[in-house]
Amino acid sequence: MQFFLEVLIGGLLSGVMYSLVALGFVLIFKASGVFNFAQGAMVYFAALSLVGVMGKGAPLWLAFILAFGIMTILGIATEKFVLRKMVNQAPISLFMATIGLAFFIEGLAPLLWGNDVRALEIGLVDEPIPYLLDSFNIVVSSFDLTAAGLALALVAGLALFFQFTRVGRALRAVADDHQAALSIGIPLQHIWALVWAVAGFVALVAGMLWGSRNGVQFALTFTALKALPVLILGGFTSVPGAIVGGLIIGASEKLAEIYIPPVMQSMFGGNFGGIEGWFPYVMALLFLLVRPEGLFGEKHIDRV
Amino acid sequence: MARQIGEVILDLKNISLRFGGVKALTDISFNVREHEIRAIIGPNGAGKSSMLNVINGVYHPQEGEIIFRGEHRKDMDTHDAAKGGFARTFQNIALFKGMSVLDNLMTGRNLKMKCNFLQHALWWGSAQKEELEHRKKVEEVIDFLEIEHIRKTPVGRLPYGLQKRVELGRALAAEPSMLLLDEPMAGMNVEEKQDMCRFILDVNDQFGTTIVLIEHDMGVVMDISDRVVVLDYGKKIGDGEPDEVKNNPEVIAAYLGTQH
Amino acid sequence: MFYRETGQFKNSYAADQQVFPIRQDRVGIAILLAVAFLVVPLVAGNYWFNAIFIPFLIFALAALGLNILTGYAGQLSLGSAAFMAVGAYAAYNFQVRVEGMPILMSFILGGLTAAGVGILFGLPSLRIKGFYLAVATLAAQFFIVWCLTKFPYLSNNSSSGVISVPGVEMLGFKFDTPQSRYLLVLSIVTSMALLAKNMVRSTTGRSWMAVRDMDVAAEVIGIRLMRTKLLAFAVSSFYCGVAGALYAFCYLGSVEPDGFSLDLSFKILFMIIVGGVGSILGSFLGAAFILLLPIFLDITLPAIAGLLSLPFDSATVSHIQLMVFGALIMFFLIVEPHGLARLWQIGKEKLRLWPFPH
Ligand SMILES: Nc1ncnc2c1ncn2[C@@H]1O[C@H](COP(=O)(O)OP(=O)(O)O)[C@@H](O)[C@H]1O
Ligand SMILES: [Mg+2]
């Protein structure tokens, strides 16, 4: 039971990370209808820029600001040179363009900053939390907990931003109705550039937390890819969906990784580790068959 | 007139349709007789398109009953409807944009084509023969609609008016017994409208096709339809011959009145 | 002046419906095939067969498979490599486990197995579209490769799933030279391309395109969405499966599951984007382009760096390669969404008017 709880809690905490990446997807999708496959590459790029700048001697806070600057430039460039030129194309073409963007970023990042695995020190310790260990005999990493806390704080901050600032309201208006957004008086292009910058910020936080846990490396892009099944569970347009979906995926993949291989081993013999690699996708697929609109999405009938 | 209006072949009874909280149709009943031209009119958002979608099974009403050729059912199924001789056009043109006019029309006949994909792959005698036979039929439709010159053009490149005509062609290619037209003349200039009217009347006259038609142009509706049903806010407020409907005070208030 | 259909009047619909209605095209394709079948085997060296022609043909076949699904039927897949893997491993198993199994039969059975798996993973397409489906196909990508690595039975108990295929032999003839393997692959790929062309110009292909362009209208016309989509998944996976079998048997000789990675799937996707979505010719053009580009960069980049006396290593080449791929994809999607095939067509139209510009 203790062990189960440990796995569950560990899974939930890492699930928060998936939520964070998924959040970046949701923001861009809501504002511009673009399904941004490059969000994972952005996480990698952001983390690499952060360690890169730190490697040049900058303290963490300065490196963070500079990396955010870099992500903003990247976002604006994407909007200006790619998305703006594709406004009348089918969503699926835009999606494929972001696959191209992902490749571009994945090549650009190591070209700028080198491609060895880099340690990222942000001053969080990774130890079992003494209280939980003493009283319940459960190992929960203080790092994971702090990281999850930071992630949740970011989500809360974004929610406030959308609720209470003019720009935030404009963003929400765009998500609901492009015409209405125009009447607010902020050009659509600015809003898109802005939302890419915000998504870059989210990617930066995700990359920082993830990078400091597992090292900054190319494999980050694969981890970030798991935000896709999270989105399917949560629905593409729902912020709470992204969070809940992330938690479900995080917890269930860890549980699956621990509990399924022994069962399979007793049935077929051999080693069945690595279930984590596909479990979220298959789960999303099965989920789609039952509820295509996602946990929080609404059922929708095509208008003709 | 050669054309003889026949028995009721489609009878809709107490149809109600909701989308979440939106009541698109409320307790609507009306019928369609064989060989007639039946118009549905009403202001925007009245539920006209929804009605058409219920008739051929694109939407499924929560309540009501549909009796088609004596068969009672809760709702229609698109495939059954197509097999039963329904063909239609859409308010916002729903052509296959990446295909040529010819291919769009050929696709309209898909239910009549029997070869399977293996025969197609090998292009054996039967597949080839079938393709040719149907090509002949499609060419007849092309002649009828006077679109020979754009046969090979991808439909996405055609002007709006011609696209509407091609969409009618795709429906006609299926040799339907019942044709549903959702605003076939919307956005057309006078000349194009006249052509379209002529085609509709000719189809009805030459092939005896029953036609259910949504149209905003009152002049056209009064001219070509045999009976008119009037919807407003998802409710039926009038039903009858054009003259009757024209003088119905409720209709004048709700619909004709708002026109000016 | 010379490339023109004037004077070639069609007096029957049959003539109008040929694969290549214009005589010059027919002549052109005949010459191309003659060169491919007769001239190339005589003049090309082993490097050309092994590094260029054979992989080109195999990738073109895989791209053709994906194009059927994505280009014609409009269902985006990010899992083509996994279906290639299924084809490769299934063909391998039929070949080594069934005594006296003819090699062509193994290829076909490999393709059919892939088709079956394709149908399974295509089931979600009945309820979802676009990028939802793309994510679902990722499940196929990761799950299949994992299974091939973890179930020793699938690789005939070889360690970590690596398989080394037996030699290719047909009716006593051993395909042991690159040349002979090239001819085998060429024959298979040309015939399958012809079958694909026939499918896409008939009711089957029109139904796919109808579902792609406007599914509601297609349904209203009487096209069964489920059957049409699953058929596209099956046929597409069959093509990818056969390509995978050829990849193992006629190209690499020995493959591992990780060789059929997400990267390979993307590569095939890029082939159809660059070559032309919804074009058979495009599958070939795209395969050639994506195959040759890295070779081109490998040669030119170090040379350029040398000229500018910049430091340079192989990792840099691969990073630049990623960037060039990415940039190209975006470029094509923005500037010419129908890819090289469309450019070719435009070129031909220009030629038709030549030498008179209008
Ligand atoms: N697929 C749908 N989903 C949600 N609401 C719909 C859908 N189709 C129609 N409606 C709603 O039903 C009502 C009637 O629409 P419609 O039938 O298109 O009217 P009309 O064709 O008379 O203009 C409208 O309020 C419309 O918003
Ligand atoms: Mg309408």
Side-chain angles (χ1 to χ4, degrees):
Chain A
M1 187 62 199
Q2 261 146 356
F3 182 61
F4 174 82
L5 276 180
E6 266 173 39
V7 176
L8 182 67
I9 294 173
L12 286 173
L13 293 178
S14 68
V16 176
M17 297 294 161
Y18 295 147
S19 306
L20 211 50
V21 184
L23 190 64
F25 278 102
V26 170
L27 288 175
I28 291 179
F29 188 77
K30 274 185 91 131
S32 55
V34 177
F35 185 89
N36 177 28
F37 191 84
Q39 188 70 24
M42 282 166 64
V43 171
Y44 172 56
F45 187 64
L48 212 51
S49 302
L50 188 68
V51 275
V53 175
M54 280 172 85
K56 301 247 182 307
L60 179 61
W61 64 268
L62 183 60
F64 189 89
I65 293 173
L66 290 175
F68 178 48
I70 294 174
M71 293 313 289
T72 308
I73 293 169
L74 181 75
I76 292 173
T78 305
E79 193 284 315
K80 192 166 158 64
F81 297 115
V82 186
L83 300 180
R84 193 182 297 184
K85 304 220 182 305
M86 296 185 70
V87 274
N88 291 323
Q89 295 212 30
I92 205 75
S93 297
L94 281 157
F95 172 64
M96 293 196 281
T98 65
I99 296 180
L101 179 64
F103 268 65
F104 186 81
I105 294 175
E106 284 165 13
L108 179 65
L111 203 64
L112 290 179
W113 307 109
N115 67 331
D116 5 298
V117 181
R118 306 274 275 277
L120 171 59
E121 192 47 66
I122 56 170
L124 291 179
V125 284
D126 191 3
E127 285 169 354
I129 294 170
Y131 168 72
L132 288 175
L133 189 62
D134 296 343
S135 355
F136 302 99
N137 200 16
I138 296 178
V139 179
V140 175
S141 152
S142 61
F143 177 93
D144 285 356
L145 197 64
T146 323
L150 271 173
L152 287 179
L154 176 70
V155 173
L158 281 176
L160 292 177
F161 171 75
F162 284 121
Q163 205 66 43
F164 294 111
T165 63
R166 190 171 91 100
V167 176
R169 279 196 295 271
L171 280 178
R172 278 194 306 154
V174 177
D176 295 337
D177 176 0
H178 286 195
Q179 287 306 317
L182 290 177
S183 63
I184 293 180
I186 300 176
L188 217 49
Q189 268 102 17
H190 290 194
I191 295 184
W192 285 342
L194 183 90
V195 86
W196 275 79
V198 177
F201 184 76
V202 176
L204 177 58
V205 175
M208 180 179 77
L209 294 175
W210 241 335
S212 66
R213 191 169 189 258
N214 302 331
V216 177
Q217 51 183 318
F218 187 71
L220 268 184
T221 58
F222 278 100
T223 321
L225 210 55
K226 289 205 185 136
L228 298 178
V230 168
L231 290 167
I232 293 214
L233 243 62
F236 285 154
T237 52
S238 159
V239 172
I243 295 168
V244 175
L247 294 177
I248 295 178
I249 292 281
S252 58
E253 75 166 8
K254 287 287 179 307
L255 291 172
E257 181 66 48
I258 299 291
Y259 291 102
I260 295 181
V263 178
M264 293 190 68
Q265 202 165 345
S266 66
M267 283 162 66
F268 307 105
N271 162 24
F272 289 95
I275 284 183
E276 272 177 303
W278 54 262
F279 189 81
Y281 301 95
V282 173
M283 195 165 115
L285 191 150
L286 295 177
F287 182 82
L288 278 174
L289 288 174
V290 186
R291 217 186 134 80
E293 60 272 19
L295 280 172
F296 295 88
E298 272 168 35
K299 207 175 170 96
H300 155 96
I301 299 168
D302 280 346
R303 238 169 238 258
V304 289
Chain B
M1 250 169 80
R3 181 170 74 100
Q4 193 88 54
I5 292 180
E7 296 295 303
V8 170
I9 51 164
L10 177 69
D11 200 358
L12 297 130
K13 289 201 163 140
N14 311 99
I15 299 286
S16 293
L17 172 75
R18 290 181 299 275
F19 297 102
V22 178
K23 283 187 178 169
L25 300 170
T26 313
D27 197 25
I28 294 190
S29 304
F30 74 97
N31 60 34
V32 181
R33 293 171 178 279
E34 194 155 25
H35 309 309
E36 80 171 332
I37 297 183
R38 184 75 148 122
I40 304 177
I41 63 171
N44 271 328
K48 305 181 296 297
S49 297
S50 298
M51 196 65 238
L52 226 51
N53 284 327
V54 164
I55 292 181
N56 80 327
V58 178
Y59 291 168
H60 303 277
Q62 278 83 8
E63 278 139 50
E65 190 184 22
I66 302 172
I67 304 157
F68 178 55
R69 294 193 196 281
E71 212 180 307
H72 292 245
R73 12 164 120 233
K74 209 188 132 290
D75 53 6
M76 292 293 279
D77 166 271
T78 43
H79 194 259
D80 287 352
K83 271 186 155 164
F86 280 89
R88 70 173 283 185
T89 67
F90 298 83
Q91 181 171 357
N92 302 307
I93 301 168
L95 281 169
F96 308 126
K97 289 254 160 33
M99 295 157 73
S100 67
V101 170
L102 186 60
D103 280 340
N104 267 276
L105 267 57
M106 288 293 279
T107 313
R109 294 186 67 81
N110 84 91
L111 270 182
K112 297 190 153 46
M113 301 175 88
K114 298 287 173 254
C115 288
N116 64 34
F117 78 100
L118 283 175
Q119 291 167 306
H120 292 145
L122 296 170
W123 206 243
W124 260 335
S126 56
Q128 206 171 351
K129 220 175 86 201
E130 188 180 68
E131 184 88 4
L132 283 177
E133 268 168 33
H134 289 275
R135 171 79 186 263
K136 286 205 190 80
K137 292 282 186 190
V138 162
E139 289 290 344
E140 284 170 25
V141 177
I142 290 179
D143 283 348
F144 177 80
L145 293 177
E146 300 154 17
I147 46 177
E148 298 90 346
H149 56 297
I150 51 165
R151 214 189 252 118
K152 295 282 174 79
T153 316
V155 291
R157 287 198 216 155
L158 295 175
Y160 182 81
L162 271 181
Q163 289 197 17
K164 283 253 169 201
R165 199 185 289 190
V166 174
E167 206 189 14
L168 176 65
R170 185 180 64 186
L172 292 179
E175 300 174 54
S177 57
M178 172 85 94
L179 192 56
L180 312 176
L181 305 174
D182 196 343
E183 306 198 11
M185 292 166 234
M188 285 188 166
N189 62 33
V190 177
E191 201 183 323
E192 287 171 328
K193 273 188 190 178
Q194 278 171 355
D195 281 342
M196 189 55 91
C197 271
R198 180 160 56 83
F199 293 136
I200 293 172
L201 287 171
D202 281 355
V203 169
N204 179 249
D205 202 39
Q206 288 181 21
F207 312 119
T209 313
T210 312
I211 295 176
V212 181
L213 161 91
I214 297 174
E215 185 46 55
H216 276 300
D217 187 322
M218 293 313 285
V220 169
V221 172
M222 297 304 156
D223 260 6
I224 70 173
S225 51
D226 297 303
R227 288 191 300 158
V228 182
V229 56
V230 192
L231 303 184
D232 191 20
Y233 291 112
K235 298 209 175 75
K236 183 168 104 169
I237 55 169
D239 191 353
E241 305 206 343
D243 286 332
E244 239 175 283
V245 168
K246 207 156 45 180
N247 299 322
N248 178 334
E250 209 178 339
V251 174
I252 294 169
Y255 182 62
L256 301 175
T258 59
Q259 286 283 293
H260 304 285
Chain C
M1 266 312 222
F2 304 105
Y3 183 78
R4 199 167 288 185
E5 75 265 44
T6 2
Q8 305 175 20
F9 294 108
K10 307 283 180 317
N11 38 26
S12 72
Y13 296 136
D16 193 37
Q17 286 173 349
Q18 294 176 62
V19 179
F20 299 104
I22 299 177
R23 189 189 306 130
Q24 284 85 340
D25 281 340
R26 285 199 294 278
V27 174
I29 200 81
I31 292 176
L32 186 70
L33 284 175
V35 169
F37 275 101
L38 303 173
V39 182
V40 169
L42 292 178
V43 300
N46 280 357
Y47 170 81
W48 281 87
F49 288 124
N50 286 332
I52 312 275
F53 288 133
I54 294 178
F56 157 67
L57 289 168
I58 293 174
F59 282 130
L61 187 61
L64 185 53
L66 180 62
N67 225 334
I68 286 173
L69 184 64
T70 302
Y72 287 97
Q75 314 293 309
L76 182 58
S77 162
L78 302 178
S80 337
F83 297 114
M84 285 177 72
V86 173
Y89 277 75
Y92 169 77
N93 275 298
F94 283 113
Q95 192 65 29
V96 297
R97 284 174 198 276
V98 183
E99 192 66 35
M101 174 68 84
I103 187 80
L104 280 184
M105 201 60 209
S106 287
F107 291 165
I108 292 174
L109 288 171
L112 288 177
T113 312
V117 177
I119 290 178
L120 202 63
F121 281 95
L123 283 174
S125 71
L126 309 179
R127 305 200 59 178
I128 51 171
K129 300 182 201 170
F131 17 73
Y132 280 88
L133 183 67
V135 176
T137 59
L138 279 179
Q141 175 66 53
F142 293 123
F143 183 64
I144 288 172
V145 170
W146 181 85
C147 285
L148 293 175
T149 319
K150 299 291 177 182
F151 288 95
Y153 177 85
L154 299 176
S155 51
N156 203 15
N157 301 313
S158 69
S159 70
S160 65
V162 182
I163 53 170
S164 294
V165 299
V168 180
E169 198 182 315
M170 203 191 293
L171 302 172
F173 180 83
K174 283 193 169 54
F175 289 84
D176 48 7
T177 62
Q179 202 177 9
S180 59
R181 283 199 297 273
Y182 161 79
L183 281 171
L184 176 65
V185 173
L186 181 66
S187 318
I188 293 176
V189 173
T190 11
S191 23
M192 285 179 73
L194 182 63
L195 296 183
K197 181 72 198 176
N198 283 340
M199 272 187 274
V200 300
R201 69 191 172 120
S202 61
T203 311
T204 300
R206 285 191 296 261
S207 306
W208 285 337
M209 291 187 273
V211 168
R212 170 195 72 190
D213 286 348
M214 189 60 76
D215 53 358
V216 181
E219 216 179 348
V220 161
I221 281 176
I223 293 173
R224 299 255 194 206
L225 293 189
M226 177 165 100
R227 207 181 283 171
T228 309
K229 286 182 184 177
L230 289 185
L231 179 64
F233 266 96
V235 173
S236 157
S237 308
F238 180 84
Y239 274 69
C240 287
V242 173
L246 293 176
Y247 191 72
F249 279 81
C250 297
Y251 175 41
L252 292 179
S254 155
V255 290
E256 55 173 344
D258 284 337
F260 298 97
S261 63
L262 184 59
D263 252 352
L264 183 58
S265 292
F266 278 136
K267 217 177 192 178
I268 297 167
L269 177 64
F270 289 176
M271 286 174 191
I272 72 169
I273 294 175
V274 170
V277 173
S279 154
I280 303 239
L281 171 69
S283 314
F284 285 85
L285 297 177
F289 191 91
I290 297 292
L291 186 75
L292 293 178
L293 183 66
I295 299 176
F296 173 77
L297 291 178
D298 270 342
I299 298 169
T300 52
L301 285 179
I304 294 172
L307 276 180
L308 305 172
S309 55
L310 292 168
F312 211 76
D313 55 38
S314 60
T316 314
V317 180
S318 71
H319 297 148
I320 293 184
Q321 223 179 74
L322 281 179
M323 288 178 67
V324 172
F325 271 135
L328 263 174
I329 294 312
M330 292 186 280
F331 175 82
F332 268 100
L333 286 169
I334 292 168
V335 177
E336 186 45 80
H338 295 286
L340 294 170
R342 176 86 189 120
L343 292 179
W344 170 250
Q345 209 182 347
I346 293 173
K348 281 207 307 193
E349 265 159 38
K350 289 250 164 68
L351 192 62
R352 187 182 299 177
L353 301 173
W354 186 86
F356 312 106
H358 293 292

